[in-house]
Every structure is written in structure tokens, then in C-alpha cells.
Amino acid sequence: MKLRGWLLGRVGGALATILMVLLLNFVLFRLMPGSPDRALARNPRVSAEAIAAARVRWGLDKPLFPDQLVAYVGATLSGDFGYSVKYGGREVTSVIGEKIAPTLLIVGLGEIIALAAGIALGAWTGWRRGKFGDRVGTLSALILYSMPYFWLGMLLVTLFATTLGWLPTSGISTPGGPGGVAGIVDLLRHAALPIATIALGLIGQYAILLRSSVAEALREGYVLTARAKGLRDDRILRGHILPNALLPTVTLAALNAGYVIGGALTVEIVFSWPGLGLLTQEALQSRDYPVLQGIFLLLAISVVVANLLADLLYSRLDPRVRHGAAR
């Protein structure tokens, strides 16, 4: 019963956080200058009747509290995020929905590559702690960890696209390009540099965290016992050390599933990748507040859900968490 209460508490905390994000989303974008009707008013060709009709359409003719707040919360909970100012009055859900897949493509593949490479590098350096390979690997991980996404992306563009000419510089596909299998290859060529940027930006933190965990696990008694039994080093590492050392890394990966989407925004701007990042830049430039509200809410909820999944996953992987919650 106590374990069930712990789980309900985590879920309840996540729902309360999402509610606070919803309220902050409402207040934040109404404190920003330049409401949609004021943007229309700057156009001398727009009549006063059109501006008044737009205010009614966006609900700006009603008092901020409680009318607009109640209408906003009710509409958001029903999946209605309003209409875009920039994109011809289209529904915000439609505008954002078509940009999610390109973002998930580069974020998902970048996360998978970073996990595989970061775990391999962290295990290798942690096992060889204090040696030359450890110093080189740790230094490389620190350099990658310290690089901002946008700066790393520009370096890759300069090297592989501009200097060597191996890969496209921007976009998701070649205009008028081929379809079928050739079209998929063209898509992957355009996605290679954004994926590499995200992966390289994440490898460092995974490697550093896992190296620390492996180095700490090497001092545990069960490692000494395994060596006394005559087990090979690779079996000790894979069968005894990594299952325990991977717990913090798994938690970090679950958290990054939410945070990386926000970090990928700058990557998409560098590579003109038509995802949520480029959409955010365009919405900011045009002060398309309904679209910005939808993107902000989506990113915030992804972080909250990722934190919840990290808690649940850690309790599943580590029995001590479950036993502690059940007491």
C-alpha cells in the first residue's frame, strides 16, 4: 500500500506541475508585448472591423481574469490550442503536429547514438581509470560536454558541408529530389549533421557519469569476490559492474528525453531543419503567441513526463527504491 501511495504521489506531483506550467503559460505570453490584434493594427490596410473581429476570434475582447483564463484552460485541456497568427489562421495543433516528426527523428537517433557511444566510452575509461586511455577518453568527453550545440553544429557544417562538400548544409531534403529509397537516403544525408551534433553533445555527459559510476563500483566487495573466483575482466565488467553502474545513466537518459527536445531547437536553427526549433524562431519573429504557447506547453510537459518516467524506471531497476518506498 505504501508503494502504491508513493507511485500515486509521483503521478500527482507531475499533474500538479503540469497545471502550474499551464497557468504560467497563460500569464507569460499575455505579459509579453505585441498581442496579435496590435500586430494587425500595424498594417494600415487592415480595417478596424477586421481588428475587432480578430479580437473576438482570439478571445481578447473578454476580461483577462477570469474569462480568458477559464476559456484558455478549458480549451487546452480539450486539445484546442487556438489559431496561428502567422500561418493563415490554421489550428495550432496542426501547425505544431507536422513539425514534431522531424524533431523526433534527429533527437531520437541522436539520443540512441549518444547512449551507445557514451556507455562504451564511460565503461572503457572507468575500467582503465588513471591510465593513459582514461585520461585521453575523459578529456575527450569533457571537451564534447562543454561544447554548445549551435557552435558544434557550425563546426560540422564548416568541415563536412562547406570544406569537404560531403553532406548538405541545411534543409530536410533536396528540392525536387527523388522519391522512394533514394528519397530516404537523401533525407538521411540531410539529417546526418543535425543527428551528429546532438549525439556528440550528449556523449560527453553519458561517458563522464558512467566513468564515475564504474570507478566507484570497482571498489565494491562484490568485484573483489568476482576476481577471487577467477572470472575474466570482461565478464566482471558486463555481468557485475555495468548492471549497477548503469542506473544513474539510465535515469539521465530518461531525463534527456525531455530536455534534449528543447536543446535541439538551436540545432534546427543552425541547419534550417523544419522542426519545432525553426517553428519557434519563426513564431518569435512574427509574435505568433498561440503557436509559442503550444510549443512551450509541449516542451514543458515532455520534461515533466520524462522526470516521472525516470522516477518510475529507477524504482523498477533498483529494488532498494521500491523497498524504501514500501516501508
Side-chain angles (χ1 to χ4, degrees):
M1 293 297 293
K2 291 185 178 180
L3 179 59
R4 183 181 300 176
W6 179 83
L7 293 175
L8 291 176
R10 289 292 187 275
V11 175
L15 293 177
T17 304
I18 291 175
L19 178 60
M20 293 301 297
V21 168
L22 189 65
L23 296 177
L24 177 63
N25 203 23
F26 172 81
V27 174
L28 178 63
F29 286 96
R30 280 157 182 79
L31 292 177
M32 296 174 66
S35 60
D37 59 325
R38 293 177 181 174
L40 287 176
R42 289 197 296 268
N43 189 344
R45 299 182 179 181
V46 179
S47 64
E49 292 78 9
I51 296 175
R55 288 181 58 83
V56 173
R57 183 183 184 185
W58 289 314
L60 300 176
D61 59 322
K62 300 177 181 179
L64 191 62
F65 298 101
D67 297 49
Q68 289 190 35
L69 175 60
V70 172
Y72 168 74
V73 172
T76 302
L77 293 178
S78 65
D80 180 10
F81 295 101
Y83 300 91
S84 169
V85 178
K86 174 179 173 58
Y87 297 94
R90 292 176 55 196
E91 292 185 355
V92 172
T93 51
S94 174
V95 174
I96 295 179
E98 64 186 21
K99 303 295 184 180
I100 292 178
T103 295
L104 291 181
L105 173 65
I106 61 174
V107 168
L109 292 178
E111 177 82 11
I112 292 172
I113 295 172
L115 263 176
I119 288 174
L121 179 60
W124 186 74
T125 54
W127 184 260
R128 292 163 177 78
R129 68 194 190 285
K131 299 181 180 179
F132 177 75
D134 174 33
R135 291 193 289 269
V136 173
T138 302
L139 178 61
S140 302
L142 287 171
I143 292 174
L144 291 176
Y145 183 61
S146 63
M147 286 185 177
Y149 283 120
F150 71 91
W151 188 73
L152 182 57
M154 289 189 290
L155 285 181
L156 294 180
V157 168
T158 302
L159 177 60
F160 293 103
T162 304
T163 303
L164 299 176
W166 291 352
L167 294 169
T169 58
S170 62
I172 193 172
S173 62
T174 303
V181 177
I184 296 176
V185 173
D186 182 62
L187 170 64
L188 293 178
R189 290 186 73 249
H190 282 80
L193 290 181
I195 292 173
T197 302
I198 294 174
L200 290 173
L202 292 174
I203 286 174
Q205 56 179 305
Y206 289 143
I208 292 171
L209 179 62
L210 186 60
R211 178 201 175 277
S212 176
S213 299
V214 169
E216 183 178 352
L218 285 172
R219 296 192 292 265
E220 298 292 338
Y222 62 82
V223 177
L224 181 62
T225 302
R227 283 176 169 166
K229 291 180 179 180
L231 297 180
R232 298 192 310 271
D233 286 349
D234 59 341
R235 186 175 177 183
I236 294 175
L237 179 61
R238 293 196 306 267
H240 296 270
I241 295 178
L242 281 182
N244 294 283
L246 277 175
L247 290 177
T249 305
V250 170
T251 304
L252 178 62
L255 294 176
N256 278 340
Y259 287 111
V260 170
I261 296 179
L265 300 185
T266 55
V267 175
E268 294 184 4
I269 294 173
V270 170
F271 293 99
S272 297
W273 186 259
L276 294 176
L278 203 59
L279 177 63
T280 302
Q281 182 191 38
E282 294 172 352
L284 280 170
Q285 291 174 344
S286 60
R287 293 184 178 179
D288 194 345
Y289 289 163
V291 171
L292 288 174
Q293 281 185 154
I295 295 174
F296 177 81
L297 185 61
L298 176 64
L299 297 181
I301 290 178
S302 67
V303 172
V304 173
V305 172
N307 276 271
L308 175 62
L309 292 178
D311 282 342
L312 299 180
L313 183 61
Y314 200 89
S315 66
R316 180 67 178 176
L317 295 176
D318 192 347
R320 294 171 296 182
V321 176
R322 295 198 301 272
H323 295 331
R327 290 177 181 175

